[in-house]
Amino acid sequence: MSTIRIKAMGCHEGQVFLNLFHAIFPEVSAGDEELIETLWCDTNAEQSMTLLAKDGETAVGLTHGAVHDGTLYIVALGVAPDYRRRGIASRLLDYMVEAVKDLKVTSMRVSDYPYGYILPGVVQPSGIAFFTAHGFVTESRPVAMSRDLGGFHPDSKVFLKEQELRTSGYTFDRYGPDDLLQTIDFFDRCMPADWKDIVKVGYSRGNSRQNGICCRDPEGKMVGAAFYHMVGRDPCRFGPIGVDPETRGLSIGAILLHECLRMQSDEHLERSYFLWCHEDSPAYRMYRKVGFEIRFEMQVMSREL
């Protein structure tokens, strides 16, 4: 019987890891370039590690983790189908825990690392069963949603609401490079801490030219913004979107969403999708109204160390 070795990924084994990743996680749409940026160009981790399980010279399992603010985030952990039920995944997990024992890590979370996550939770039933067996508990169940863009037409009620707000002095303008600093300030002021970083990374990649819409109140203050082709490298991917809490209830979010969908449709994209939403949230209800359907459900899981 062959002996499975667990080792740090060698500098020449990047493509080996990527090929195995795609085979294990077919639901992840990220291409090689986006995975490289997400996993190995992360500037927020205090420490990160990429491990391979190898049968001879063949890679049969993998994991990648990032330590941030006292938590080990397991960004990816999986084993090739023919090698499952041999304890390889458990050994990969144990190896990661051992590697961070001197870093004052107090907890582990599966995948919802706020900086450049691939998926914000576990998708495959086998993965959920594995982490449950290792003491992880489910904290929430976010969903990924999408809608086809063929024949898209903005809702007439949303259009009328937009006209009403424009009459009262609000503006809805296509995002341009001159809006960058105000957009960063808006997300920093009104949204979670990492959202402004998404805008910064999108700008550095060249993704944030005119693929968004910004709303300003009658005084010229930005109170909402929405984008597509900002996260990752897929123009079909919608987000981020945000509205100033002080102006919520005016349908600004619905207007921004409709405008982005219209722009995606004008580019002849087949669909629009995003990866993070909770079914009990106002955002979920907004997406459902415009025709988004659940693609799959994930589980955010955690465990104390």
Side-chain angles (χ1 to χ4, degrees), residues 147-221:
R147 66 148 293 160
D148 292 336
L149 291 174
F152 171 77
H153 296 287
D155 186 289
S156 58
K157 293 181 180 179
V158 176
F159 175 77
L160 290 174
K161 187 63 180 180
E162 180 178 348
Q163 296 305 112
E164 177 185 325
L165 287 175
R166 287 183 182 274
T167 300
S168 62
Y170 285 83
T171 62
F172 294 87
D173 298 316
R174 191 154 189 162
Y175 172 87
D178 291 342
D179 298 314
L180 174 65
L181 295 182
Q182 194 174 13
T183 304
I184 292 172
D185 175 73
F186 164 71
F187 279 111
D188 189 37
R189 174 168 47 87
C190 298
M191 309 311 297
D194 59 301
W195 287 30
K196 67 179 182 298
D197 296 321
I198 295 174
V199 177
K200 293 177 181 179
V201 171
Y203 179 83
S204 66
R205 288 175 175 167
N207 287 4
S208 59
R209 294 186 175 91
Q210 287 188 307
N211 50 316
I213 188 83
C214 301
C215 175
R216 292 176 174 84
D217 68 11
E219 286 71 45
K221 176 183 177 182

Side-chain angles (χ1 to χ4, degrees), residues 224-278:
F227 297 90
Y228 64 96
H229 199 187
M230 181 72 82
V231 183
R233 294 187 174 274
D234 187 349
C236 293
R237 185 165 174 178
F238 173 77
I241 180 173
V243 176
D244 189 322
E246 295 183 0
T247 59
R248 289 174 187 169
L250 300 178
S251 299
I252 291 174
I255 295 167
L256 294 171
L257 172 60
H258 276 75
E259 288 291 346
C260 273
L261 292 177
R262 179 184 59 78
M263 287 190 284
Q264 286 181 299
S265 178
D266 288 347
E267 289 190 24
H268 306 291
L269 301 176
E270 294 182 354
R271 67 186 180 113
S272 180
Y273 74 94
F274 62 88
L275 294 180
W276 180 275
C277 185
H278 291 286

